[in-house]
Each structure stands twice: as structure tokens, then as C-alpha cells.
């Protein structure tokens, strides 16, 4: 938790942006795994956490944009709770910790909301992604769960996105520390990447590091020899020499700030010639993005420039042909790179994605595309100092997609399918770092960069 002044400043800024009405932020509740008292690890709603600071279940916050009043609501523990949980601060104490003067019970919350509705005041709320909070909102505001999306406050969504997009110095410090944990996770995975080792053993080990130094992993770990499956959460394989292991994993600090890195390394510690060629192409794309990422540039422009670098490499290897600009314009490169360059990151690994990706990664100037591949770009808007984004190009050989495009004669002016056929057993490579947009460019987050060049990776794995 940060100082109460930070939360007060954030709430004051939000009220100014919203203008009038009542802002209602629901925290998350505990969620049962397989019976009521056996719950999943609790994770607070990130926007509630940003403005009210407390990572405890059963809380709600209200900001009155007309009077400047903040309120925190919840239920104080009773003796049965104390027996199982120990003494807990009261709701009033929790409120004071984050600079909130008024507090009350959940019954008081309902009275506040009902009174505001009777007075004809606007109730601003965000999209609800949990069923229990949808039911809670229905109880408070009388809006059915199927209708709530139609009543979400776009004013509040835009205000939250504008504030959370630019990271404060205290947030950047937490993100740097989360990336330090990510360094330990990924270098441990590299050390363990040896023939005959089970994927699950490595995945479990690095997830243990995330728990030991922070709260938990920031998303389900991707660790697999099948790097061509973009979100492959299976860890059933046994590592085989000559293949590559793709690890996409991150840590979440106790503060809930995240890291997200990807490395692809050769099992056995040495890339073969074909792997070196594709790896060099992806690394060139990755580093090219870093040279372009700075304030005033749209991340869509960076993405498209990276795609052209990839096509140039693939042309040199005989996998693609024709004019580079034309190939990217029609999306021919998406056979090999069917996703976007990156996404925002912060309290969420895909920061604020629950508020609608079009609201977070795009704006009135830069809009999403419907073109295959480019449609998966999560972040396209113009970069500003304080943005934290991922840089994660890749090159994948997805047999089913290759077969489909070849059968449909897709982009035959640009794709050499006879050569591509020989790579259907290749897998995929992705390289990802977390970067902060500064006043003059960008910098990596974390004290140390995970080995990434071919020489660095091979030297580290063979030391």
C-alpha cells in the first residue's frame, strides 16, 4: 500500500475528470474453488486497488464528484472471524489508512446509492467481469445483469484509463521490482532447460519463485516446446534435445504490480542453424521496436514497422517474396506473426483490459483493424511518457494455419509455400521485455535484462 496522500490525489483527479454524480467502485469478493470455505487466492479488483488501496474482500468505495466526499464500505469482523483470522482493522481504520474520512456498512452503501438514484443523480460504474459483483450491482442500483453493460459510464471508463495509463514513480518502482522477480524466474527456467526434464517441473519451479518473492504469477505460465501455440498452458511434455522451449511468464508483487517476459531457448544449450536464423529475425524485430518506441509515436506504427523487418528476414530465408511494404499492407506476414506487438501493463498484466481493449489501447485517432493479425493488436495508440508496454514480436509456424492458407491460395504473391512446408515442424519463437516510455525514448524495467542475444543465451545455458 502506498501513502494515503497518493490515493487522495488519485481520487481527487478522478472526481475532476468525471465532473458530477456518484462514482461506485466495487471491490472483489472471495471465490470458492470446490466448496464454500476453500477459496481461490484472493485478487482485488485493480481499479478499486488503484483508488482505495486495500486488498481485502467485501469492500466497496464511493466518490461523490459533487461534494468531494469519499466513502469506504464493508463489514467489520466478529468474534468467529477473529478466532480464525486474528484481529482485523475496522472499516473505519481501513478508510483512514487511505485518507477516507467516511465509512459505513454495506447496508449504508445501499442507502447511499438508493438516495442518489431518488435524487436523479448519475451513478457511474465500470464494466463488471464477475458474476457476484453483477448481482451486487443489481441489488444496489436495480439494474439487471443483462442490462448493466448498457449503463456503464463511458465517462468513468475514460477517466480511469487516462489516470492509470501514466505510471507514477511509486508504480514504476513496483514494476521494476516485479521485473526483478521475472529475471529470477526466467534464468531459473534456462538453467533447468535440459534434455529429459519435465516441462511441469520447470513451470512449477518458476511459479514457486513468483510466490516466494511476491504474491503469485501474473498470469498462467506458458512453458512448452510447442511455441507455435500462442497461449499453450499445457506442461505435459518432456524436453527433447534439438527443440526449443518457449517460456512466457511473469510475477505479481504483493502490491499487485506485474511483470511479463518471454524467452525461447534451445534445449541442449545450442541453437541449430535454422533456429539461429529465425531467432535472429525475431530479435532484430524486438530491438527495432525499442529504437522506435518514444513519446509521440503510435504503437501501431511501431508494430507495422516491426512486421516489415520480419518480412525482410523471411525473404532472405526464402520463406517470403515480393515487395515488403505491399506484403505487410495486405497482411501476408500474419501467417508468421498473427498477433500484435504488445499491450499495456501495470496492476494487470494486460492493463485495464476489463475496461474494454478499445478504450485502453486505442483512441479517436487510432482505431482497431479487422485485418487478420492486425486485429489482434492490443495497443495501437500514441505513446506518452509513463506508459508501460510490452515489446513481444514472434515468428511461428502453425501447421493448421499454413495448410489453410495454402489450400485457399492466400497471398501466393508473397509466401513461398514450398519452403514454408519444410518449417512445419519448427514450432515458434517469441521474445518479450517490459519497457517504460520515458520523456526521450524508452527503457527496460528491472535491474537486469534476461539473457536474450544468441551468444548470451548459449553462454548462460552452458555455464
Amino acid at each position: 500500500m502506498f501513502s494515503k496522500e497518493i490515493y487522495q490525489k488519485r481520487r481527487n483527479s478522478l472526481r475532476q475528470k468525471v465532473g458530477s454524480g456518484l462514482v461506485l467502485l466495487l471491490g472483489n469478493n472471495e471465490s470458492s474453488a470446490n466448496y464454500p470455505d476453500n477459496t481461490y487466492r484472493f485478487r482485488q479488483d485493480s481499479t478499486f486497488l488503484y483508488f482505495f488501496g486495500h486488498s481485502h474482500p467485501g469492500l466497496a468505495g464511493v466518490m461523490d464528484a459533487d461534494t468531494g466526499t469519499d466513502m469506504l464500505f464493508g463489514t467489520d469482523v466478529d468474534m468467529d472471524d477473529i478466532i480464525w483470522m486474528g484481529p482485523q482493522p475496522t472499516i473505519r481504520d481501513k478508510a483512514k489508512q487511505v485518507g477516507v474520512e467516511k465509512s459505513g456498512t454495506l447496508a449504508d452503501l445501499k442507502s447511499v446509492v438508493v438516495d442518489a438514484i431518488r435524487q436523479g443523480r448519475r451513478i457511474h460504474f465500470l464494466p463488471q467481469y464477475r458474476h457476484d459483483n453483477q448481482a451486487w450491482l443489481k441489488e444496489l442500483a436495480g439494474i439487471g445483469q443483462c442490462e448493466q453493460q448498457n449503463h456503464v459510464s463511458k465517462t468513468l471508463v475514460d477517466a480511469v484509463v487516462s489516470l492509470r495509463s501514466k505510471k507514477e514513480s511509486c508504480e514504476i518502482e513496483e514494476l521494476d521490482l516485479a521485473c526483478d522477480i521475472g529475471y529470477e524466474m526466467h534464468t531459473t527456467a534456462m538453467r533447468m532447460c535440459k534434455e529429459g526434464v519435465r516441462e511441469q517441473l520447470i513451470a512449477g519451479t518458476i511459479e514457486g519463485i513468483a510466490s516466494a518473492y511476491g504474491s503469485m504469477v501474473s498470469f498462467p505460465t506458458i512453458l512448452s516446446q510447442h511455441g507455435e501455440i500462442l497461449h499453450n498452458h499445457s506442461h505435459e511434455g518432456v524436453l527433447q534435445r534439438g527443440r526449443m522451449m518457449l517460456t512466457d511468464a511473469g510475477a505479481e508483487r504483493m502490491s499487485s504490480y506485474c511483470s511479463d517476459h518471454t524467452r525461447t531457448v534451445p534445449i541442449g544449450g545450442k541453437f541449430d542453424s535454422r533456429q539461429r536464423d529465425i531467432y535472429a529475425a525475431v530479435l532484430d524485430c524486438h530491438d527495432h521496436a525499442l529504437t522506435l518506441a518514444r513519446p509521440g509515436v503510435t504503437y501501431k506504427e511501431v508494430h507495422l514497422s516491426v512486421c516489415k523487418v520480419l518480412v525482410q528476414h523471411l525473404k532472405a530465408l526464402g520463406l517470403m517474396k515480393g515487395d515488403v511494404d505491399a506484403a505487410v499492407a495486405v497482411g501476408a506476414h500474419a501467417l508468421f506473426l498473427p498477433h500484435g506487438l504488445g499491450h499495456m501493463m501495470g496492476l494487470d498484466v494486460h492493463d485495464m483490459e476489463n475496461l474494454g481493449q478499445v478504450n485502453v489501447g486505442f483512441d479517436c485517432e487510432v482505431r482497431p483493424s479487422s485485418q487478420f493479425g492486425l486485429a489482434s493488436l492490443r495497443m495501437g495508440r500514441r505513446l506518452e511518457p509513463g506508459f508501460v508496454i510490452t515489446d513481444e514480436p514472434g515468428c511461428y509456424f502453425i501447421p493448421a494455419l499454413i495448410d489453410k492458407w495454402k489450400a485457399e491460395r492466400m497471398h501466393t504473391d508473397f509466401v513461398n509455400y514450398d519452403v514454408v512446408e519444410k518449417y512445419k515442424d519448427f514450432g515458434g519463437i517469441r521474445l518479450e521485455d517490459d519497457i517504460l516510455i520515458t520523456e526521450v525514448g524508452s527503457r527496460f524495467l528491472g535491474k537486469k535484462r534476461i539473457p536474450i542475444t544468441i551468444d548470451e543465451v548459449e553462454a548462460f545455458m552452458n555455464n
Side-chain angles (χ1 to χ4, degrees):
M1 183 182 294
F2 302 126
S3 69
K4 67 180 181 181
E5 289 78 15
I6 287 175
Y7 298 107
Q8 288 173 322
K9 180 182 178 182
R10 290 172 176 178
R11 294 193 298 268
N12 288 336
S13 297
L14 185 70
R15 274 195 297 268
Q16 291 175 4
K17 289 179 177 293
V18 169
S20 63
L22 213 63
V23 175
L24 173 63
L25 296 182
L26 301 181
N28 284 337
N29 299 299
E30 288 190 309
S31 181
S32 298
N34 56 340
Y35 58 87
D37 285 340
N38 190 31
T39 60
Y40 292 104
R41 180 189 289 272
F42 176 72
R43 177 53 157 86
Q44 184 60 281
D45 174 77
S46 294
T47 300
F48 180 89
L49 198 60
Y50 184 83
F51 291 104
F52 286 94
H54 282 291
S55 186
H56 302 284
L59 300 176
V62 167
M63 288 170 269
D64 193 320
D66 297 304
T67 66
T69 303
D70 296 330
M71 295 163 272
L72 183 69
F73 300 92
T75 303
D76 285 328
V77 299
D78 57 20
M79 184 53 66
D80 283 344
D81 295 321
I82 292 173
I83 290 170
W84 292 100
M85 301 163 56
Q88 302 292 314
T90 65
I91 298 301
R92 183 179 181 183
D93 291 336
K94 290 176 180 176
K96 288 184 176 180
Q97 287 174 344
V98 292
V100 175
E101 294 300 321
K102 291 190 175 183
S103 60
T105 66
L106 296 182
D108 295 330
L109 170 63
K110 186 168 184 179
S111 296
V112 168
V113 174
V114 169
D115 287 347
I117 292 173
R118 285 174 180 166
Q119 296 168 22
R121 302 181 65 197
R122 174 74 188 276
I123 307 296
H124 299 273
F125 61 86
L126 299 172
Q128 301 302 311
Y129 54 90
R130 286 195 173 192
H131 184 270
D132 56 340
N133 275 359
Q134 292 173 353
W136 193 6
L137 184 58
K138 178 182 179 182
E139 180 184 351
L140 291 170
I143 304 173
Q145 289 162 258
C146 294
E147 294 296 319
Q148 289 174 10
Q149 188 61 37
N150 297 328
H151 294 270
V152 165
S153 171
K154 184 65 163 57
T155 299
L156 179 58
V157 168
D158 290 344
V160 170
V161 170
S162 69
L163 290 172
R164 287 183 57 189
S165 292
K166 293 184 178 181
K167 304 302 185 284
E168 301 160 276
S169 58
C170 58
E171 295 180 280
I172 294 168
E173 183 177 339
E174 286 295 316
L175 289 162
D176 273 325
L177 292 170
C179 287
D180 289 343
I181 303 172
Y183 176 90
E184 295 296 330
M185 294 169 68
H186 280 270
T187 52
T188 298
M190 288 182 180
R191 291 188 188 99
M192 296 179 68
C193 181
K194 299 181 185 299
E195 183 179 13
V197 177
R198 290 182 298 112
E199 294 171 350
Q200 180 60 53
L201 178 63
I202 305 175
T205 300
I206 66 174
E207 289 177 354
I209 293 171
S211 295
Y213 286 99
S215 173
M216 56 184 177
V217 292
S218 51
F219 57 95
T221 297
I222 299 167
L223 189 149
S224 173
Q225 295 164 98
H226 286 282
E228 77 279 6
I229 303 174
L230 302 186
H231 279 181
N232 186 3
H233 298 296
S234 171
H235 309 133
E236 298 177 352
V238 176
L239 300 188
Q240 300 175 26
R241 182 176 291 273
R243 300 180 68 178
M244 293 179 294
M245 181 181 78
L246 186 151
T247 305
D248 188 342
E252 184 173 291
R253 292 263 298 159
M254 295 300 293
S255 62
S256 295
Y257 286 89
C258 299
S259 68
D260 181 7
H261 298 94
T262 306
R263 291 294 186 267
T264 309
V265 300
I267 300 164
K270 189 171 181 62
F271 293 102
D272 65 30
S273 60
R274 192 170 64 155
Q275 291 167 351
R276 290 174 72 93
D277 289 339
I278 301 299
Y279 191 98
V282 177
L283 182 59
D284 196 9
C285 291
H286 178 279
D287 291 348
H288 180 68
L290 296 174
T291 67
L292 299 180
R294 63 173 65 90
V297 176
T298 72
Y299 214 45
K300 181 178 180 179
E301 292 172 336
V302 179
H303 168 82
L304 292 173
S305 184
V306 163
C307 293
K308 292 175 184 179
V309 171
L310 179 62
V311 172
Q312 289 168 350
H313 277 273
L314 296 179
K315 277 188 65 177
L317 296 172
L319 290 155
M320 293 192 72
K321 58 187 176 181
D323 182 75
V324 170
D325 290 348
V328 171
V330 298
H333 66 282
L335 176 64
F336 309 97
L337 178 54
H339 63 73
L341 181 59
H343 51 80
M344 279 201 179
M345 195 185 72
L347 279 168
D348 309 302
V349 70
H350 287 179
D351 212 22
M352 300 174 281
E353 198 162 287
N354 61 300
L355 303 182
Q357 194 58 51
V358 68
N359 298 315
V360 178
F362 298 89
D363 53 22
C364 295
E365 177 193 12
V366 183
R367 304 304 296 166
S369 170
S370 60
Q371 184 186 79
F372 178 78
L374 191 55
S376 296
L377 180 65
R378 288 189 171 99
M379 174 65 187
R381 61 189 281 202
R382 199 167 294 279
L383 301 176
E384 299 180 39
F387 282 13
V388 171
I389 54 178
T390 62
D391 169 15
E392 50 178 311
C395 185
Y396 314 90
F397 295 86
I398 306 169
L401 183 61
I402 293 169
D403 291 343
K404 182 178 186 297
W405 277 34
K406 183 178 180 180
E408 296 174 0
R409 300 188 58 77
M410 290 279 290
H411 303 307
T412 53
D413 291 342
F414 303 107
V415 179
N416 284 321
Y417 285 103
D418 290 344
V419 180
V420 174
E421 281 286 335
K422 300 174 183 178
Y423 282 74
K424 286 170 71 173
D425 64 341
F426 183 88
I429 293 173
R430 181 163 65 253
L431 299 173
E432 176 183 16
D433 282 311
D434 306 327
I435 60 175
L436 167 69
I437 302 301
T438 66
E439 294 290 340
V440 295
S442 64
R443 75 160 175 88
F444 294 113
L445 287 166
K447 292 178 182 177
K448 294 184 288 187
R449 191 183 186 194
I450 303 162
I452 193 169
T453 69
I454 290 174
D455 289 343
E456 288 172 348
V457 169
E458 292 185 344
F460 186 88
M461 295 183 71
N462 289 289
N463 186 353

